[in-house]
Amino acid sequence: MATAPQIQSVIDYRHLVQDGRLHGSLYTSPQIFADEMEQIFHRGWSFVAHDSEIPNTGDFVVRRVGTQSLIAVRSKDGEVHVFYNRCPHRGATLCQTSSGHRSRIACPYHAWTFALDGRLIGLPDEAAYPADFSKADAGLTPVARMDSYGGFIFVNLIPNELTLREHLGHATELIDALLGLSPTGRIQLSAGWMKHKMRSNWKMIVENQVDGYHAPMVHGSLIAANRTFATVRDRKPTSPTRVRDFGMGHSDIDHASDYRAAGDRLFRWTGGIDPERLPGYVKAMNDAYGPEDARRRLIEGPPHSMLFPNLSLAEMNIMVIEPVSPQHSIQYTIPVFLEGADDLNARTLRRCEGAMGPAGMLIADDAEIGELTQMGVANLEPEWIILSRGMGKEEVLANGVKLAGLMDETSQRGFWTHYREVMAASQEVSQ
């Protein structure tokens, strides 16, 4: 069973994470980072892959969850399996590429060979092993738990008490909203992932994904240069856009509230494409959902959300955050293609490249401010980080979801509240 290095002393997370302020060591401490890998990424649910990435028998992807390298592969019966990327013989890494297609999985060390469902099916000179050696006991090791929602596959390496549905909670509404932009209710992640090395702690990327406060400063040059980006949304403190804390660490920026307030115009979330330029997609949506509901979906658009701990539904992009060290992370980005929306998908690819590509207008800004923040928190003083904008002013709905203004730090506090419970609860149980 996987486990991270043992923590040598107890860290008081209820002291480090307070309502409205955080201790700077949360972004810099190697001990806290190791603790997070164990308590959040190994003992909790994490996103690992989408089933559209491995549509055919033998397709596989390799992903890292916490400190563990995993293989997600589709077997001959159509099922998806997730195994540790380690040969049970002498421990060699089995798959060295991030994705590919194989009829079987062979170890590069001694050629032990495994079926796509993990069974050991061959090894050189099998008769040299003792009589009680059994191939049935030497297959690939699956993760403890795997489950999916809307094609998004999650794993839990060391079982906890929560089902995936309980972990997702109200965040299923966000996945449903994204899938509901497809006439078939399905998305395809087939364009290939972009990979950016970020010189910042993984939690800074999480926070930034649902931060409505930074755009006028961090993306000021883009706003000045791009009239469409500047005007398609109300970015003022008085904007009708709400940030939402869904609980369980999940949050979003609800731009739909802005689009609805701005009027009955479709596709503001695409940058304002004229609906007449997407006749096939509009017709398919009308046929699938009826004109009234299709119109609502095309006005409100996709979610702009962060699902604890590593998956962002970033409108028409999917982002995955991979922690590397306290000071380094990798951000993966891929455009969302909607099944049944070919005329929109080509435009989505171009927008993703323009915003998130190597020369993209958004990601460079966010990477730089993340690096500057990481450098800043490495200083010993001031000891605390302030995270109290809008605190105490949130509207709490009957289902517990909290709403606040676009620039309030409610979404970040939602993340940190759940983080504190996860990190502190594990220590309290062990005492």
Side-chain angles (χ1 to χ4, degrees), residues 25-332:
S25 64
L26 290 161
Y27 300 99
T28 60
S29 165
Q31 190 171 356
I32 290 175
F33 182 82
D35 206 0
E36 291 168 346
M37 296 304 99
E38 173 81 1
Q39 302 303 337
I40 293 176
F41 287 90
H42 296 176
R43 295 185 180 276
W45 287 98
S46 297
F47 170 75
V48 68
H50 190 268
D51 67 6
S52 66
E53 297 181 78
I54 45 177
N56 303 309
T57 297
D59 290 347
F60 74 90
V61 295
V62 174
R63 295 285 155 73
R64 195 164 190 85
V65 171
T67 63
Q68 302 298 298
S69 176
L70 306 175
I71 306 168
V73 60
R74 191 175 296 276
S75 61
K76 290 182 178 179
D77 61 1
E79 294 296 315
V80 173
H81 304 266
V82 182
F83 301 110
Y84 287 93
N85 189 11
R86 167 179 167 165
C87 181
H89 175 214
R90 297 275 287 277
T93 296
L94 293 167
C95 295
Q96 299 87 47
T97 57
S98 60
S99 63
H101 178 91
R102 294 182 182 178
S103 59
R104 61 185 67 84
I105 299 172
C107 178
Y109 198 179
H110 298 98
W112 282 36
T113 304
F114 306 88
L116 299 175
D117 60 7
R119 289 176 295 113
L120 175 62
I121 56 176
L123 67 161
D125 202 14
E126 180 181 345
Y129 283 85
D132 61 351
F133 174 80
S134 170
K135 287 192 291 188
D137 297 330
L140 301 183
T141 304
V143 296
R145 292 203 294 175
M146 180 191 76
D147 201 352
S148 67
Y149 186 88
F152 291 88
I153 303 167
F154 297 80
V155 293
N156 174 207
L157 305 185
I158 302 175
N160 61 30
E161 73 279 10
L162 295 177
T163 65
L164 176 61
R165 292 297 183 98
E166 290 169 333
H167 165 74
L168 291 174
H170 296 299
T172 56
E173 300 170 19
L174 300 167
I175 297 176
D176 292 342
L178 178 62
L179 302 180
L181 290 174
S182 162
T184 67
R186 287 189 51 81
I187 64 172
Q188 300 289 331
L189 303 187
S190 55
W193 291 87
M194 293 182 287
K195 178 179 178 181
H196 292 87
K197 294 182 178 178
M198 313 292 270
R199 294 173 180 164
S200 57
N201 185 278
W202 69 276
K203 301 186 292 297
M204 289 183 182
I205 304 173
V206 169
E207 293 177 281
N208 192 62
Q209 287 301 109
V210 284
D211 186 305
Y213 194 13
H214 73 288
M217 178 61 74
V218 175
H219 303 302
S221 59
L222 172 59
I223 291 172
N226 188 320
R227 178 171 174 75
T228 299
F229 184 79
T231 59
V232 73
R233 294 171 183 162
D234 182 346
R235 301 178 189 279
K236 301 183 183 67
T238 55
S239 168
T241 297
R242 303 287 91 182
V243 295
R244 297 187 290 188
D245 169 11
F246 282 82
M248 299 297 288
H250 313 307
S251 59
D252 85 331
I253 301 177
D254 180 26
H255 290 296
S257 49
D258 184 13
Y259 300 148
R260 287 191 295 267
D264 230 10
R265 186 172 150 198
L266 310 188
F267 294 123
R268 292 175 69 88
W269 47 279
T270 67
I273 296 175
D274 186 336
E276 293 185 358
R277 302 180 72 174
L278 301 171
Y281 175 47
V282 173
K283 181 180 185 306
M285 288 293 286
N286 286 335
D287 292 345
Y289 301 108
E292 183 176 350
D293 193 29
R295 185 173 184 79
R296 176 190 63 79
R297 294 168 189 254
L298 297 180
I299 289 173
E300 295 182 350
H304 185 121
S305 60
M306 188 68 226
L307 275 57
F308 190 93
N310 65 338
L311 173 65
S312 177
L313 312 180
E315 304 184 37
M316 296 307 290
N317 306 296
I318 298 296
M319 294 183 188
V320 179
I321 300 167
E322 179 184 307
V324 176
S325 73
Q327 297 85 19
H328 295 89
S329 309
I330 299 175
Q331 180 173 313
Y332 297 86

